[in-house]
Amino acid sequence: MKLPAFLKKYFWDVNFGSLNLKKEQSFIITRLLEYGDIKAIRWLFSSVEQSKVKESILKSRDLSRKSINFWSLFFKLDKSRIQCLKKSYLKMQSSHWPY
C-alpha cells in the first residue's frame, strides 16, 4: 500500500515513493507518532490496526521520551514494557552524547 502524498514531509530522509505500508509498517508508524500532525495521526489510525501501533510503541527505540510518555498514556500501556524506557537503553542513549 502506497502512502498518501501529504505524508511525504515526514519521510525527508528516505525514498518516499518506494515506501510500502505493509513492508515498512513499524518504521512508518514510529515516524508518524514522533513527527506527525493531527491529519497524519488520523490517517495512521484509520490505516493501521491499533494493536500494530501499540506493538510499535512497545518495541521502538526511535521515539523520544516525550513521545513515548504521551503515547503510553494515550494507549494506557505499561511503561515497564516499553523498550526505549528501559534503564539499559537510557544509559546507552546518554553515553552517545555526553553534552
Side-chain angles (χ1 to χ4, degrees):
M1 173 187 215
K2 294 285 184 185
L3 302 179
F6 72 89
L7 295 176
K8 186 174 182 173
K9 64 184 173 184
Y10 302 113
F11 301 96
W12 63 89
D13 58 339
V14 297
N15 182 355
F16 182 76
S18 68
L19 283 177
N20 184 304
L21 183 59
K22 297 245 187 254
K23 292 180 183 178
E24 291 99 10
Q25 189 171 47
S26 184
F27 170 69
I28 292 167
I29 291 170
T30 54
R31 182 64 65 98
L32 293 177
L33 290 176
E34 183 69 29
Y35 300 109
D37 61 8
I38 191 72
K39 185 177 179 182
I41 297 301
R42 283 184 179 150
W43 176 86
L44 178 66
F45 288 172
S46 68
S47 302
V48 177
E49 293 177 30
Q50 189 174 3
S51 62
K52 296 289 185 185
V53 175
K54 288 179 181 180
E55 182 182 323
S56 292
I57 293 169
L58 292 172
K59 292 181 178 181
S60 175
R61 293 190 176 261
D62 298 326
L63 291 169
S64 66
R65 284 190 203 177
K66 190 177 195 178
S67 293
I68 280 291
N69 282 312
F70 175 81
W71 291 114
S72 67
L73 290 170
F74 183 86
F75 286 112
K76 298 177 182 158
L77 297 173
D78 179 9
K79 289 184 181 180
S80 67
R81 295 180 53 218
I82 299 173
Q83 292 294 318
C84 67
L85 290 179
K86 292 192 177 183
K87 290 187 186 249
S88 62
Y89 179 71
L90 293 174
K91 283 182 186 179
M92 182 180 72
Q93 192 177 31
S94 65
S95 69
H96 288 301
W97 188 258
Y99 302 103

